[in-house]
Amino acid sequence: MAGQKGTGSDHVEYTANKDATDQVVGRMPTFLLAMTEEERELMEKKLVRKIDARLLIMLVVMYILNYLDRNNIASAKLAGLDKDLNLKGNQYQTCVSILFVGYLLMQVPSNMILNKFGKPSIYLPGCMFAWVYNFCRHCCYEKLWRAFSLSIHSRPGCLYLLTAWYTRKEVGKRTALFYCGSLISGAFSGLIAAGITHGLAGARGIAAWRWLFIIEGALTVFVALLSMFIIPDLPRTTSWLTEEEKELAAWRLEADIGEDDWVDSEHQSMFHGAKLAFTDYKTWLLLGAIYGLTSAGAVTTFFPIVMAGLGKSTVETLLLTTPPYLIGAILVMINAWHADKTGERYLHIALPPIVAIVAFIIALSNTSFAGQYVAMCLMIGGIYAGYVVCLGYISNILPRPATKRAAALALINCLSNVCQIYTPYLYPDSASPRFVAAFSHNLALCAMTIFFATIIRIVLGRLNKQLDEEEGTNIGPSRAQENENEEHGLPGQAVVRGFRFLL
């Protein structure tokens, strides 16, 4: 469970000094004390596999469907949505922009509610079901913008749930798998849209773009209802775990950070957690890094429209969107896997945006099909490979208390998506095929991510040196000292338990 210090690596997660180890063991459940280390590791592996099978797989499926539904707007436009609804001027861009009004308003309170009551198995599928129901119902009545304004998105809740089950060493790869759901959905979205556009246009008197919403919306509703019986709640509130498994799940997280994560709803102060997240300067540095990639990543919402500038037919355009997403998913997984294996974070966040910058430069300077398509194949992987590692970094840098982590995940996700309100206006049809304003903007925002990632690396390096200097204090902190540590962005018992930030 504990990383070793003094190996020459700067990427220390947990200092295995004797005092820290003794204190963690002192909190170990009784049944674990009677086991050998090999038996404990075997039980932990079985628990992680059990959670992977139910939580991780289900979240990936939910996220694939979520993005299929949300990104259908671009495919629907190619299938004639704007013409059928008689959208003029910037009305289409406004429809897309309004989606994020509800998105932004609901992020922080949504995660606070989720953390307070500890029932994600009900809350997350409920959000998924409600969004699709409203979206499809209003689309059928040709009031697309109303459907978007009613949206409630639960992505930060899914991220919070991952960090409530997995240690810092485990969460990176799983966050990457989760986000690969969005990339896989982008790949399948083009294939599905091509099939529906080609085969169901006008079937039963219904336009092809309406069939997109009907078919994929029905599948999403089914999965949302099914997931209520599969997704776990929090380690202490999941009914299908044995009592021993609950204790192990809670203890392993405590051993990872040095503090308990979530006890019950009475111990979850929503406002205190939000205050800690707002007042920790590291929250805002992370926001700067993530905002750049979120803003550049808005290109995926309009990917079929950007692809249409290559001059191919509607069906060919939709099919051409698949390879860039698959390449992106592969790059995301490789980068996240290597980040977890090495324990390094800065380079895994800062290097991928350089690939994206090169891709945008190619797209801006080249109008040939080959050049533009190569750029498209590089930009998604370049953006999302660093983005996913940076998202996982939130729970590494702001791990405790749980209410703070929940608030930080929601706050950063919320504010980083402010860009989604204005970015639709960077992709008008008249800007095709080079989209100079959009690609120039994306290039600059990728550079912004590199800048903030560098600042974070410097700041955390200094904090780790501060913790090194304070190590050796064997007296347990008072509650007042724990509160002071939290106010300064450290887990409450970090000093005596050997916590170090990943760099």
Side-chain angles (χ1 to χ4, degrees):
M1 294 293 298
Q4 295 295 321
K5 189 177 177 183
T7 60
S9 171
D10 288 330
H11 317 303
V12 181
E13 281 200 332
Y14 194 85
T15 303
N17 60 64
K18 182 179 184 299
D19 297 307
T21 302
D22 288 345
Q23 292 180 49
V24 171
V25 171
R27 295 173 176 266
M28 184 182 292
T30 304
F31 74 92
L32 289 178
L33 289 171
M35 292 183 177
T36 65
E37 184 176 353
E38 291 74 19
E39 289 172 334
R40 287 199 301 269
E41 289 179 356
L42 179 60
M43 185 176 181
E44 187 173 354
K45 287 179 181 178
K46 288 181 178 179
L47 174 65
V48 172
R49 285 197 297 267
K50 189 173 183 178
I51 298 304
D52 282 342
R54 300 189 66 153
L55 172 61
L56 189 60
I57 293 175
M58 201 69 242
L59 287 186
V60 170
V61 172
M62 290 172 67
Y63 207 45
I64 288 174
L65 293 172
N66 181 289
Y67 259 74
L68 279 176
D69 294 328
R70 198 177 89 176
N71 289 348
N72 265 346
I73 186 69
S75 299
K77 184 175 186 290
L78 291 182
L81 174 145
D82 56 334
K83 297 181 179 62
D84 288 353
L85 298 186
N86 197 29
L87 299 179
K88 305 293 185 182
N90 288 332
Q91 287 181 333
Y92 170 80
Q93 282 75 18
T94 301
C95 288
V96 179
S97 177
I98 288 177
L99 159 67
F100 291 94
V101 175
Y103 186 113
L104 298 176
L105 291 175
M106 289 302 300
Q107 294 305 285
V108 175
S110 176
N111 251 25
M112 294 294 92
I113 293 170
L114 173 61
N115 179 74
K116 174 68 176 177
F117 296 106
K119 286 292 181 181
S121 63
I122 296 175
Y123 187 77
L124 298 180
C127 289
M128 183 179 180
F129 178 89
W131 189 85
V132 174
Y133 172 77
N134 280 302
F135 183 80
C136 293
R137 179 164 63 92
H138 287 297
C139 279
C140 291
Y141 287 98
E142 299 187 358
K143 296 189 183 296
L144 189 63
W145 46 91
R146 286 179 60 196
F148 274 74
S149 67
L150 288 169
S151 68
I152 299 175
H153 192 50
S154 57
R155 181 174 67 185
C158 293
L159 290 173
Y160 169 68
L161 187 56
L162 287 175
T163 63
W165 282 100
Y166 297 109
T167 65
R168 291 178 295 156
K169 282 186 175 181
E170 297 166 346
V171 78
K173 292 189 289 291
R174 287 163 177 84
T175 301
L177 279 169
F178 174 62
Y179 266 87
C180 277
S182 68
L183 300 180
I184 292 170
S185 74
F188 284 115
S189 178
L191 296 175
I192 295 170
I196 292 175
T197 300
H198 180 72
L200 288 178
R204 296 183 177 273
I206 300 175
W209 65 268
R210 292 181 185 273
W211 278 115
L212 278 173
F213 297 132
I214 292 170
I215 293 172
E216 294 179 7
L219 179 59
T220 301
V221 167
F222 170 76
V223 170
L225 295 174
L226 179 65
S227 64
M228 291 183 179
F229 303 97
I230 299 176
I231 291 179
D233 290 314
L234 300 177
R236 296 182 184 275
T237 61
T238 298
S239 60
W240 44 263
L241 288 180
T242 66
E243 289 302 316
E244 288 187 347
E245 287 173 331
K246 290 179 184 179
E247 289 189 53
L248 174 60
W251 176 80
R252 64 194 295 270
L253 293 174
E254 181 179 356
D256 182 48
I257 299 295
E259 296 180 41
D260 207 344
D261 192 48
W262 195 97
V263 180
D264 55 49
S265 61
E266 297 301 320
H267 288 77
Q268 309 309 310
S269 173
M270 295 190 293
F271 296 107
H272 181 60
K275 174 191 172 185
L276 292 177
F278 271 93
T279 56
D280 191 332
Y281 66 91
K282 297 193 297 301
T283 300
W284 305 101
L285 292 176
L286 283 164
L287 172 61
I290 290 175
Y291 184 91
L293 294 178
T294 303
S295 189
V299 67
T300 59
T301 304
F302 305 93
F303 214 57
I305 297 171
V306 173
M307 282 288 186
L310 299 180
K312 302 298 181 180
S313 68
T314 297
V315 173
E316 286 178 313
T317 295
L318 291 170
L319 293 175
L320 284 171
T321 62
T322 298
Y325 280 106
L326 294 178
I327 293 171
I330 292 170
L331 291 177
V332 165
M333 285 308 305
I334 291 174
N335 192 55
W337 173 81
H338 193 259
D340 273 4
K341 181 180 180 181
T342 61
E344 202 281 334
R345 292 295 182 266
Y346 167 63
L347 293 178
H348 291 86
I349 294 172
L351 292 182
I354 296 176
V355 176
I357 288 173
V358 171
F360 287 121
I361 291 175
I362 294 173
L364 284 166
S365 61
N366 195 308
T367 57
S368 69
F369 173 82
Q372 288 274 343
Y373 196 64
V374 168
M376 302 299 173
C377 289
L378 291 176
M379 65 177 60
I380 290 181
I383 293 169
Y384 278 93
Y387 176 71
V388 165
V389 174
C390 202
L391 277 176
Y393 212 19
I394 298 173
S395 60
N396 278 260
I397 296 177
L398 306 168
R400 298 295 187 274
T403 50
K404 177 181 179 179
R405 187 174 78 249
L409 283 165
L411 176 66
I412 292 171
N413 192 72
C414 167
L415 295 182
S416 67
N417 276 281
V418 167
C419 62
Q420 305 284 5
I421 295 176
Y422 67 81
T423 50
Y425 299 97
L426 298 176
Y427 295 88
D429 291 340
S430 59
S432 180
R434 293 175 63 198
F435 292 94
V436 174
F439 291 167
S440 298
H441 163 271
N442 296 348
L443 188 157
L445 270 292
C446 286
M448 172 181 165
T449 290
I450 297 171
F451 171 78
F452 274 99
T454 303
I455 298 299
I456 291 170
R457 173 63 177 80
I458 294 171
V459 166
L460 295 185
R462 290 177 177 174
L463 285 175
N464 277 352
K465 287 183 180 179
Q466 176 186 332
L467 291 176
D468 287 341
E469 293 170 359
E470 295 177 359
E471 188 177 354
T473 304
N474 297 323
I475 301 174
S478 64
R479 185 60 229 175
Q481 181 62 49
E482 290 179 17
N483 288 337
E484 183 180 347
N485 286 343
E486 289 175 354
E487 296 291 344
H488 289 83
L490 301 173
Q493 302 178 32
V495 174
V496 298
R497 292 195 180 277
F499 173 88
R500 296 295 184 274
F501 294 103
L502 296 175
L503 302 179

